[in-house]
Amino acid sequence: MKLFSTIYLTALCAMTLTACTTSNPYPYEALYKELPFDMPRVERPVFPDKQVSITDFGGVGDGVTLNTEAFEKAMAGLSEQGGGRLVVPFGVWFTGPITLRSNINLHLEKGALILFTPDKSAYPLVLTSFEGLETRRCQSPISGKELENIAITGEGVINGSGEAWRPLKRAKVTESHWKKVVASGGVLQNKDIWYPSENAMRGAQLSETNLNVPRKPLTETEWMDIKDFLRPVMVSLISCKNVLLEGVLFENSPGWNLHPLMCENVIIDNVFVRNPSFAQNGDGLDLESCKNALIVNSTFDVGDDAICLKSGKDAEGRRRGIPTENVIIDNCTVFKGHGGFVVGSEMSGGVRNVSVSNCAFLGTDVGLRFKSTRGRGGVVENIFVNQISMFDIVTDSFLFDLFYGGKSASESLADGDMTPVEDHLLPVTEETPVFRNIHVKNLVSRNARRALFFNGLPEMNISGIFLENVSITAKYGAELSESDSIVFTNVHVEPAEGPALLLNNVKNMTVDGFTCPPSVSPAVHVKGQRSVDLMFKQAPSKDRFSFATPELASCVKVY
């Protein structure tokens, strides 16, 4: 009898343990199946079982009352008790900047809107990093530094009042919109760029050669004289560990929207990130020098790059030396944006071990966008992209631009910028960017301007780029320049005009299955004195090739 009881209790305990472990399975398990690199599980942060409301600290959600003090008291008070959930209920919670604390989940209930004040005096200058460089900016509407176990969750909205901060380019909006903005105040530069104040315009003029970051030493008076120009990112998380953003709509940011910098163990799940399509520097997500991140089930509709991986800029980024690594991006949709999935251009610390899958890019300037330039340095490698659909891509479905000059692809096109053509090779140094070992398969794009554009450096070709099971319709075909060890497997390109494939200084290319409509002539055009060893199998016959010079015919083998 005693033996039976022991066996019964053991079995019952085992059943209970199994029930407990299977009732809460790891929600992201499927993302790790057949992952082509080693990456630890990213666990959701856990918070103490305590809950308070912003109303407990004097908060009023009437859209008029300024709740800056209430949020600070709530954060500080809950932190003193060890943390927990800070609930923001239905209402419009008008406020100045919010500083997060460790072990706190800022939770927005249905109908809750956190609206940040457009009064710039509420945002003091702080030391931070922007566009990969150490600098001063206005304090972010939401910020946290060196924290652990933090979250912003729920079903509400966070609005950064970005229209009070951002400049506006006339070419990006309708004439009626432009007239309305100009009539609201502010100042004009050259009749086609509007700034919200003279202070903001002076900052732009001072930083013209460095985009948005002043690099010359400034006195405190000089910093204050351009303060309006120093637009913050909306959510700034620096050196934080165990971060969760889930369920919330983040919109209308002064600069970038979400900016985790040097963070570890980041989950971004089921968020909606949006900015107007004309929002200057209106990026959706900039994951910079971060390790172990999941970006899943989310939607982006923004004014600049949508999902962007960075790691610092030029010498400062190389000195920091912290790559962005171990990133999974899955089941995300991008509408407007300069790029759907983007690496760079600030990638001087490197980017590696990234999986992007099951995403749709609908009307972005570029689909897959890799960008850098001489001076950056850094290595981008081990990027794996699978099952991507695209429609109405304004420029290139898949782009490597190693001559990036600060403009979006569509702006460069509109401005008539020419593709750099260089035959001189510069010395390879630590300032030379490297892009290699990048795999893209199961990609379908309809109605792009150009199918592909690979534009590497003469002294450092992009290399080890693998395309498999790709089908693209576009006005123009695929153009590859300064590229090495490219592999095409089962690639179909349907251009409306010109060749399906144009190769310029491409070497060691292997093609096994390349098709285009019979009407396309030539199917493949080869140029560039450094083109060599181009192997085509199951491809158009050699009589459908054309060559810039007769000697180039010998570098192609069709079998």
Side-chain angles (χ1 to χ4, degrees), residues 52-61 65-79 86-89 92-99 101 104 106 114:
V52 299
S53 172
I54 187 65
T55 58
D56 299 335
F57 297 85
V60 180
T65 303
L66 192 66
N67 289 283
T68 313
E69 185 177 354
F71 273 108
E72 177 57 25
K73 286 182 177 179
M75 283 286 175
L78 189 55
S79 178
L86 173 55
V87 174
V88 182
V92 178
W93 303 89
F94 189 55
T95 184
I98 297 172
T99 303
R101 304 291 201 282
I104 291 180
L106 179 62
I114 296 177

Side-chain angles (χ1 to χ4, degrees), residues 56 86 99 154-155 165 176 240 248 268 340 373 480 482 487 513 516:
D56 299 335
L86 173 55
T99 303
E155 300 174 82
W165 295 87
S176 60
C240 295
V248 174
I268 299 174
T373 190
L480 280 61
E482 303 296 351
V487 178
C516 63

Side-chain angles (χ1 to χ4, degrees), residues 26-34:
Y26 180 62
Y28 306 110
E29 188 67 45
L31 299 177
Y32 287 81
K33 291 183 178 178
E34 300 181 0

